[in-house]
């Protein structure tokens, strides 16, 4: 607790913990989770509450409660809540151990960056609290450092702790640890599996998510070098959750729960001895050398459907979107294969006109999202004109889109409730007050309307604080040009269009 007061954790948001993300998984798996627009969310170990604050601004009909035992972080969060004028966030200074098991009735409970970092009694308490405070169709998110991936990372942790032993100043501890890892990486002159692991680990220091240099120290101290940092095998946490009356629903990213990406021979060999879903996922963790897990849990009694609905009904209650666009120069003639590519370089090629039409349409309306039936009607009109295709086509299209969703969320994304995004640049564009605050605070990455982190260019960093619905295009161009001397008007307008595309603009 003292360390969090001395060196607070950075203000981070976590896309997987958004109620919409959890609701999508729940809906696909037969639950009827509360919609994100009218739900209650509890976060254990919320730090300063940034994750909840970002959600709360765009979900004013929902209520958000955060618990943390660092007074400094809770105070910082409360100041931000007041500054943004949010009425639906309650940040409480408390030790999770002291809370009653039934702390209220919540549709979602989040414990991110918590389970591995607290002692055993707090872990047990958190699971009991989830069991007694989660509504019948509620979903909990519990992340932890996982074996086997953490075996190698633990070696890095041990070396850093050894190097920093005897040093009392936390900032100095982090600095000597980092210097040591650099030395370790640079000393590996011969190629070896250890050398490549160390070099990769060292380079991860540079690209630490949304964390600028000033906050690097905090994540190193509170994550790898934390006093308590216990990794677990996936099956161990599932067993503990079951003992508390909960069941494992799925990995939050869903792909992690499936053998997608493995060749079919590997899958059939695993299937010959994996006795159930949990066993299979544990083997997948071994094969992937997984080092971090984000579990979704629900009540043991909840009616989970492990086999997804086939065909168009898989998308009942869901909206679809896509980041993919056709590769430049792709023709539109029938029979041609078209390659659709996402900004993170995931590609999908198809020669099926209906699937092409669906992706083209999703690309056109992006970042808006559509129900499957609306998408199908439009894709069918584009692909077939007035002629009526067989009904089975809709099911075939749904299966392809669902496979794409499992393969990559940027190819097909799913939501239970459309987001409040604006897909074009209006005369006085607006982003969230939270994003403006983050950009003013110097963040290199800010949170978009989909609760994802977006990395900003120098021009965008100057624009975001002014996207308050008051500044017109001339004022924005002037600000962009003042920040980056060679930014032309076109360049600033391009940046604004880009901000719209990455769901930074809200209606
Ligand atoms: C690694 S940080 C994660 C913060 C945030 N959840 C995130 O992922 O960005 C862990 C947080 O848990 C809090 N914490 C640890 N033990 C706690 C306890 N027993 N009761 C309440 N908060 C606790 C710490 O103060 C800290 O803010």
């Amino acid at each position: 607790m003292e360390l969090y007061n001395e060196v607070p954790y950075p203000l981070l948001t976590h896309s997987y913990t958004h109620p919409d993300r959890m609701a999508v998984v729940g809906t696909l798996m037969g639950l009827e989770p509360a919609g994100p627009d009218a739900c209650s969310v509890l976060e254990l170990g919320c730090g300063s509450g940034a994750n909840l604050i970002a959600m709360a601004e765009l979900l004013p009909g929902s209520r958000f409660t955060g618990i943390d035992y660092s007074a400094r972080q809770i105070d910082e969060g409360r100041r931000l809540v007041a500054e943004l004028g949010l009425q639906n966030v309650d940040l409480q200074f408390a030790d999770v151990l002291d809370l009653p098991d039934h702390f209220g009735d919540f549709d979602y409970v989040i414990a991110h960056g918590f389970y591995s970092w607290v002692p055993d009694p707090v872990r047990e308490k958190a699971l009991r609290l989830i069991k007694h405070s989660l509504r019948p169709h509620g979903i909990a998110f519990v992340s932890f450092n996982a074996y086997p991936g953490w075996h190698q990372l633990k070696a890095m942790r041990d070396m850093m702790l050894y190097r920093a032993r005897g040093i009392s100043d936390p900032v100095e501890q982090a600095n000597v640890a980092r210097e040591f890892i650099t030395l370790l990486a640079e000393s590996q002159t011969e190629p070896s599996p250890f050398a490549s692991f160390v070099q990769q680990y060292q380079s991860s220091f540079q690209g630490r998510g949304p964390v600028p240099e000033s906050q690097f120290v905090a994540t190193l101290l509170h994550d790898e070098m934390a006093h308590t940092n216990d990794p677990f095998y996936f099956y161990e946490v599932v067993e503990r959750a079951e003992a508390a009356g909960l069941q494992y629903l799925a990995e939050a990213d869903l792909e992690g729960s499936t053998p997608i990406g493995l060749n079919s021979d590997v899958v059939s060999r695993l299937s010959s001895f994996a006795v159930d879903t949990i066993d299979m996922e544990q083997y997948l963790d071994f094969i992937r050398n997984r080092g971090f897990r984000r579990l979704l849990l629900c009540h043991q009694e909840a009616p989970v459907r492990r086999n997804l609905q086939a065909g168009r009904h898989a998308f009942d209650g869901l909206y679809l979107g896509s980041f993919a666009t056709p590769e430049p120069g792709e023709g539109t003639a029938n029979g041609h294969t078209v390659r659709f590519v996402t900004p993170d370089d995931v590609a999908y090629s198809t020669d099926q006109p209906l699937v092409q039409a669906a992706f083209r349409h999703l690309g056109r309306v992006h970042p808006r999202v559509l129900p499957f039936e609306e998408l199908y009607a439009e894709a069918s009109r584009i692909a077939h004109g007035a002629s009526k295709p067989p009904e089975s086509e809709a099911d075939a299209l749904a299966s392809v889109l669902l496979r794409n969703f499992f393969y990559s969320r940027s190819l097909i994304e799913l939501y239970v409730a459309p987001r409040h995004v604006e897909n074009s640049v209006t005369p006085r564009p607006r982003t969230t007050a939270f994003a403006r605050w983050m950009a003013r605070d110097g963040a290199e990455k800010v949170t978009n309307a989909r609760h994802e982190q977006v990395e900003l260019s120098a021009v965008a960093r100057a624009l975001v604080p002014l996207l308050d619905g008051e500044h017109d295009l001339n004022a924005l161009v002037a600000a962009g040009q003042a920040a980056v001397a060679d930014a032309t008007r076109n360049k600033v307008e391009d940046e604004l269009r880009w901000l719209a595309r990455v769901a930074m603009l809200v209606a």
Side-chain angles (χ1 to χ4, degrees):
M1 183 193 330
E2 293 78 19
L3 187 57
Y4 280 107
N5 285 334
E6 199 176 337
V7 183
Y9 203 69
L11 279 73
L12 301 180
T13 59
H14 307 285
S15 59
Y16 289 110
T17 66
H18 194 281
D20 199 309
R21 281 275 182 111
M22 295 195 246
V24 165
V25 179
T27 304
L28 284 170
M29 299 187 71
L31 301 184
E32 291 171 14
D37 290 306
C39 67
S40 49
V41 181
L42 169 67
E43 182 164 355
L44 305 176
C46 66
S48 53
N51 192 41
L52 298 178
I53 291 170
M55 293 175 192
E57 183 183 351
L58 290 177
L59 301 173
S62 297
R63 77 188 163 84
F64 298 85
T65 307
I67 302 295
D68 204 284
Y69 73 178
S70 150
R72 175 171 172 183
Q73 297 185 127
I74 289 291
D75 284 349
E76 191 182 354
R78 284 180 179 162
R79 271 198 302 278
L80 183 54
V81 168
E83 192 178 327
L84 302 185
L86 298 174
Q87 302 297 323
N88 55 342
V89 185
D90 175 20
L91 300 178
Q92 298 183 22
F93 167 53
D95 187 331
V96 167
L97 260 187
D98 297 335
L99 301 180
D101 287 355
H102 179 223
F103 181 59
D105 295 304
F106 294 93
D107 299 300
Y108 300 95
V109 180
I110 302 164
H112 185 46
F114 189 75
Y115 196 84
S116 281
W117 290 269
V118 293
D120 239 3
V122 185
R123 289 179 194 126
E124 297 305 316
K125 173 74 198 192
L127 291 176
R128 266 201 321 280
L129 190 146
I130 289 171
K131 174 66 191 171
H132 292 280
S133 305
L134 200 60
R135 292 215 165 101
H137 282 246
I139 301 176
F141 176 106
V142 176
S143 64
F144 57 92
N145 284 339
Y147 285 134
W150 246 83
H151 279 299
Q152 282 159 301
L153 290 166
K154 193 165 180 311
M156 301 296 109
R157 162 179 162 83
D158 290 348
M159 290 183 218
M160 289 190 284
L161 289 178
Y162 182 80
R163 173 66 188 88
R165 76 197 189 290
I167 297 174
S168 55
D169 175 32
V171 176
E172 199 190 335
Q173 285 179 3
N175 284 334
V176 298
R178 174 173 25 193
E179 279 161 20
F180 180 73
I181 294 294
T182 305
L183 171 65
L184 187 67
E186 287 171 3
S187 66
Q188 307 296 314
T189 45
E190 296 296 321
S192 73
F194 179 69
S196 61
F197 175 75
V198 171
Q199 277 146 5
Q200 204 184 334
Y201 181 70
Q202 195 245 339
S203 63
S204 80
F205 276 23
Q206 269 99 51
R208 238 168 216 226
V211 182
E213 172 60 27
S214 59
Q215 292 174 349
F216 173 90
V217 165
T219 51
L220 191 63
L221 288 175
H222 293 304
D223 294 348
E224 283 97 321
M225 295 177 71
H227 176 68
T228 304
N229 181 344
D230 298 330
F232 294 94
Y233 283 101
F234 161 71
Y235 79 91
E236 294 176 312
V237 179
V238 171
E239 279 175 3
R240 286 172 178 227
E242 286 174 352
L246 297 163
Q247 70 169 306
Y248 171 62
L249 181 65
E251 176 69 10
D253 68 7
L254 264 185
E255 301 97 290
S257 286
T258 71
I260 275 174
L262 298 183
N263 81 38
S264 54
D265 173 54
V266 170
V267 178
S268 76
R269 280 156 67 192
L270 285 178
S271 308
S272 71
F273 51 79
V275 294
D276 56 22
T277 336
I278 307 300
D279 205 28
M280 182 68 169
E281 283 199 36
Q282 183 57 74
Y283 286 117
L284 293 177
D285 278 14
F286 293 160
I287 285 181
R288 293 173 171 145
N289 193 30
R290 200 159 177 142
F292 195 68
R293 269 285 197 163
R294 302 177 185 91
L295 306 193
L296 297 185
L297 304 172
C298 62
H299 283 287
Q300 225 148 44
E301 307 75 23
V304 174
R305 185 177 55 218
R306 301 249 163 229
N307 296 320
L308 302 190
Q309 299 263 81
R312 66 208 293 173
H313 291 299
F315 292 122
D316 286 353
L318 298 172
Y319 293 79
L320 295 91
S322 176
F323 284 84
T325 45
E327 207 155 63
E330 296 283 352
T332 52
N334 263 354
H336 274 248
T337 295
V338 179
R339 197 162 176 266
F340 292 89
V341 190
T342 69
D344 51 340
D345 274 338
V346 184
Y348 171 68
S349 298
T350 177
D351 61 0
Q352 297 175 47
L354 184 66
V355 181
Q356 292 178 359
F359 270 106
R360 282 186 200 284
H361 188 56
L362 288 175
R364 251 194 309 277
V365 300
H366 179 94
R368 272 202 305 121
V369 295
L370 307 171
F372 176 78
E373 295 304 328
E374 192 181 326
L375 172 64
Y376 172 59
E378 184 57 20
S380 182
R381 193 190 60 72
I382 300 168
H384 304 299
S387 63
K388 196 163 165 44
E391 274 299 295
S392 59
E393 264 213 11
D395 288 333
L397 174 65
S399 301
V400 171
L401 297 179
L402 194 60
R403 269 204 308 279
N404 273 285
F405 166 72
F406 274 101
Y407 185 64
S408 159
R409 221 170 268 270
S410 21
L411 280 172
I412 288 295
E413 39 169 3
L414 295 178
Y415 293 96
V416 299
R419 292 303 160 86
H420 313 261
V421 289
E422 177 61 66
N423 63 353
S424 59
V425 180
T426 54
R428 291 171 195 273
R430 207 170 74 81
T431 186
T432 62
F434 181 69
R436 291 198 297 274
W437 182 87
M438 283 185 89
R440 273 201 310 275
D441 198 46
E444 285 155 24
K445 290 189 179 181
V446 297
T447 307
N448 69 5
R450 296 186 158 147
H451 209 61
E452 300 149 340
Q453 300 279 343
V454 171
E455 187 161 0
L456 300 180
S457 68
V459 174
R461 271 206 295 280
L463 297 179
V464 168
L466 303 178
L467 300 178
D468 52 6
E470 307 278 329
H471 291 79
D472 66 9
L473 289 180
N474 286 334
L476 294 169
V477 167
Q481 290 178 327
V484 175
D486 60 351
T488 58
R489 185 176 185 95
N490 279 348
K491 163 89 181 134
V492 178
E493 287 180 355
D494 277 350
E495 287 287 336
L496 286 167
R497 278 189 287 276
W498 178 83
L499 287 167
R501 185 147 183 87
V502 297
M504 281 298 299
L505 301 187
V506 294

